[in-house]
């Protein structure tokens, strides 16, 4: 079969490489891909942008694509999967309705509450005065969230109502997140460790992916501002068998029952961001796609044929599939540009890529890179994700750092404590 992967980051680089390993995959098209990322012979990069929904559908038709896999959330929220399905094209990713679980925090919170999925208490507002009055009536730590997609920046943790007032002002009055902040959610602040759990679903059945944990803050010891993710590891020991049972029953089964009750089809990834509170696991948010950089540690551990499983999900046959994992652990160290997630430079030459890829167990996934006159240069905040497999988590981490340390560019920054919490 021919496969198309939409997106151009590290997660998509891991997806195309994994899908290309499938004996069933004849060709894997990658659009827009990343010209700097080295790819095997089965992979062909195309130039259609991830937000050009019609252009992508035309690409899929003209290249006889049998299965399209969508990496980022924005095209899903914009309705890419609806455009494809209307043309009879198979696509792994929810339509606009299902993608609201990620695209609208007010919608998803109402969904959780309606279907008995454990979550923090919250209310939605579009009027500043009403929102601020509510915050004042709840003199506890609160979380203010912009309703729509805000590139991971729309969540503001507030110690008291004064901080909540500033956050509400920023979002509702100053429009810091534009239209994504037309509504806000004010949520009680929960405490506990966090874990991400991803499931592949066809809307009826689901298959959990291997557990993984990412590292959202930019500096060691979880200090500094939030980022898109500075690294990840898998498996996550915190996700015990007992916890898995609860999460299956209380989060995923209820979510699928809720989606069916509301007649929302959902073929794609349900990625639950959970907090393990003293009262049990509670959901903070759903994403409607693979995590980045979680995918870069989960997919290298997958023994099953990903193309076959995703195709089965598209055809409502997920029940026929099983996911098998290697016993090896995986760690991914993200190499970021100095200054990220604030202002950072682009265009710095990167050396050591070949040496890093040759280290035992290592894979180099390109995220924010570009080609300039034949030289690979930095082109984004998160530049590269260096994954390594190892017989133990310790081994995987050591190998990932050995490979990460072989790479050099001006301003290179990475956390030195990836997976430290599990070791
Ligand atoms: P979200 O985009 O909803 O996952 O939020 C991003 C991050 O904000 C999460 O990973 C948590 O660290 C934090 N967060 C979100 N909601 C809450 C909450 N209700 N209580 C405490 N922290 C939260
Ligand atoms: N790693 C967090 C995310 O993909 O949203």
């Amino acid at each position: 079969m021919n496969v198309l992967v939409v997106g151009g980051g590290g997660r998509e680089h891991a997806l195309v490489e994994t899908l290309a390993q499938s004996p069933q995959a004849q060709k894997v098209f990658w659009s827009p891909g990343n010209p700097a990322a080295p790819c095997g012979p089965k992979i062909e990069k195309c130039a259609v942008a991830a937000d050009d929904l019609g252009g992508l559908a035309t690409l899929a038709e003209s290249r006889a694509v049998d299965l399209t896999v969508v990496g980022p959330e924005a095209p899903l929220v914009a309705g890419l999967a609806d455009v494809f399905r209307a043309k009879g094209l198979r696509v792994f990713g929810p339509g606009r309705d299902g993608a609201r679980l990620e695209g609208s925090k007010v919608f998803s919170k109402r969904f959780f509450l309606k279907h008995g999925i454990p979550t923090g208490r919250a209310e939605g507002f579009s009027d500043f005065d009403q929102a601020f009055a509510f915050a004042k009536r709840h003199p506890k730590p609160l979380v203010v969230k912009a309703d729509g997609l805000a590139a991971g920046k729309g969540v503001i943790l507030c110690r008291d109502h004064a901080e909540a007032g500033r956050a509400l002002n920023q979002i509702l009055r100053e429009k810091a997140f534009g239209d994504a902040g037309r509504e806000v959610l004010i949520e009680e602040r929960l405490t506990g460790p966090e874990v991400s759990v991803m499931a592949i679903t066809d809307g009826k059945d689901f298959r959990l992916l291997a557990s993984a944990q990412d590292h959202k803050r930019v500096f060691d010891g979880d200090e500094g501002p939030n980022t898109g993710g500075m690294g990840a590891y898998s498996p996550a020991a915190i996700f015990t068998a007992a916890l898995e049972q609860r999460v299956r029953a209380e989060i995923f089964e209820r979510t699928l029952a809720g989606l069916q009750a509301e007649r929302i089809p959902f073929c794609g990834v349900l990625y639950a961001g959970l907090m393990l509170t003293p009262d049990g696991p509670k959901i903070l948010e759903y994403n409607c796609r693979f995590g980045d950089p979680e995918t870069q540690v989960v997919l290298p551990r997958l023994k099953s044929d990903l193309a076959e499983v995703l195709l089965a999900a598209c055809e409502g046959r997920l029940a026929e599939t099983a996911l098998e994992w290697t016993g090896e652990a995986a760690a991914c160290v993200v190499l970021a540009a100095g200054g990220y997630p604030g202002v950072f430079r682009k265009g710095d030459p990167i050396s050591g890529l070949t040496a890093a890829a040759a280290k035992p167990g290592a894979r180099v996934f390109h995220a924010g890179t570009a080609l300039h006159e034949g030289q690979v240069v930095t082109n984004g905040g998160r530049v590269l994700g260096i994954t390594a497999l190892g017989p133990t988590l310790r081994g995987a981490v050591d190998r990932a750092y050995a490979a990460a340390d072989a790479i050099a560019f001006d301003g290179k920054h990475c956390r030195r404590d990836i997976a430290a919490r599990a070791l």
Side-chain angles (χ1 to χ4, degrees):
M1 69 173 125
N2 290 331
V3 183
L4 166 64
V5 173
V6 175
R11 163 185 52 205
E12 289 78 19
H13 194 191
L15 278 167
V16 292
E17 296 219 326
T18 307
L19 289 163
Q21 281 165 18
S22 165
Q24 297 193 41
Q26 245 167 341
K27 197 96 199 170
V28 179
F29 299 100
W30 186 16
S31 197
N34 173 353
C39 288
K42 275 190 189 178
I43 298 166
E44 184 180 328
K45 295 169 196 166
C46 307
V48 185
D51 61 1
D52 181 358
L53 310 186
L56 288 166
T58 305
L59 175 69
E61 281 176 325
S62 69
R63 301 302 181 98
V65 166
D66 302 288
L67 167 68
T68 297
V69 182
V70 186
E73 62 277 12
L76 293 169
V77 172
L80 180 149
D82 306 288
V83 171
F84 271 58
R85 289 191 185 111
K87 290 179 177 273
L89 294 163
R90 277 192 213 87
V91 54
F92 183 76
R96 197 190 277 117
D97 261 7
R100 288 177 79 198
L101 279 182
E102 174 163 4
S104 167
K105 290 192 188 288
V106 173
F107 170 83
S108 59
K109 181 62 77 175
R110 285 195 189 120
F111 182 91
F112 301 151
L113 295 172
K114 189 163 157 194
H115 298 291
I117 300 162
T119 190
R121 281 187 300 260
E123 268 188 62
F125 297 92
S126 50
D127 176 74
F128 174 85
D129 294 322
Q130 283 178 12
F132 192 41
F134 177 87
K136 280 196 278 200
R137 285 201 305 277
H138 293 84
K140 284 198 191 141
L142 293 170
V143 187
V144 174
K145 301 183 174 182
D147 177 54
L149 294 183
K153 299 198 176 94
V155 174
I156 304 174
L157 304 180
C158 308
R159 267 170 302 197
D160 51 35
H161 76 269
E163 281 188 9
R166 281 195 286 279
L168 291 167
N169 192 54
Q170 231 187 330
I171 299 175
L172 288 173
R173 286 182 164 167
E174 293 172 2
K175 298 278 173 212
F177 305 110
D179 263 3
R182 264 212 303 250
E183 275 187 274
V184 294
L185 198 68
I186 305 183
E187 187 170 328
E188 68 174 316
R189 191 152 159 191
L190 304 171
T191 53
E194 287 180 52
V195 61
S196 331
V197 187
M198 295 187 280
I200 289 173
T201 180
D202 60 4
K204 298 179 295 190
D205 295 286
F206 68 95
R207 294 284 178 268
L208 290 190
L209 297 180
S211 61
Q213 248 189 333
D214 74 350
H215 298 63
K216 290 203 168 101
R217 304 295 192 98
V218 71
F219 298 125
D220 286 13
D222 293 329
E223 300 283 343
N226 262 322
T227 69
M230 292 298 294
Y233 63 95
S234 176
I238 192 173
F239 196 63
T240 58
L243 184 58
E244 179 181 322
Q245 277 315 313
R246 279 193 79 170
V247 168
R248 280 178 182 276
E250 294 172 22
I251 309 279
F252 286 101
E253 284 172 13
R254 290 181 197 172
T255 297
L256 287 181
L259 286 168
Q260 283 168 7
E262 300 198 20
R263 301 192 184 285
I264 300 175
F266 199 108
C267 164
V269 173
L270 279 169
Y271 163 139
L274 304 175
M275 194 165 255
L276 308 180
T277 77
D279 301 328
K282 293 194 178 180
I283 186 155
L284 298 177
E285 63 160 358
Y286 261 130
N287 296 318
C288 64
R289 37 79 189 168
F290 288 101
D292 186 347
E294 290 91 333
T295 302
Q296 291 90 308
V297 289
V298 167
L299 293 187
R301 297 188 57 222
L302 181 66
K303 284 205 287 191
S304 315
D305 183 334
L306 183 67
E308 199 174 285
V309 173
L310 300 188
L311 187 73
C314 290
E315 295 178 344
R317 298 185 287 105
L318 192 66
E320 296 169 12
T321 66
L323 296 182
E324 275 191 82
W325 305 94
T326 69
E328 287 190 303
C332 175
V333 177
V334 168
L335 305 183
Y340 172 78
V343 183
F344 55 83
R345 282 213 319 233
K346 291 182 180 179
D348 288 310
I350 303 171
S351 64
L353 288 164
T354 314
K359 297 276 182 194
R363 306 210 187 160
V364 176
F365 295 121
H366 285 240
T369 60
L371 270 185
H372 180 67
E373 292 170 358
Q375 163 73 47
V376 181
V377 298
T378 63
N379 191 43
R382 291 191 294 169
V383 178
L384 295 158
I386 315 300
T387 293
L389 288 170
T392 60
L393 186 57
R394 172 88 264 164
V397 168
D398 290 346
R399 285 172 157 190
Y401 277 110
D405 290 341
I407 291 175
F409 56 86
D410 266 7
K412 170 184 152 190
H413 165 70
C414 67
R415 279 182 63 158
R416 304 294 323 179
D417 65 346
I418 298 305
R421 59 170 84 116
L423 290 171

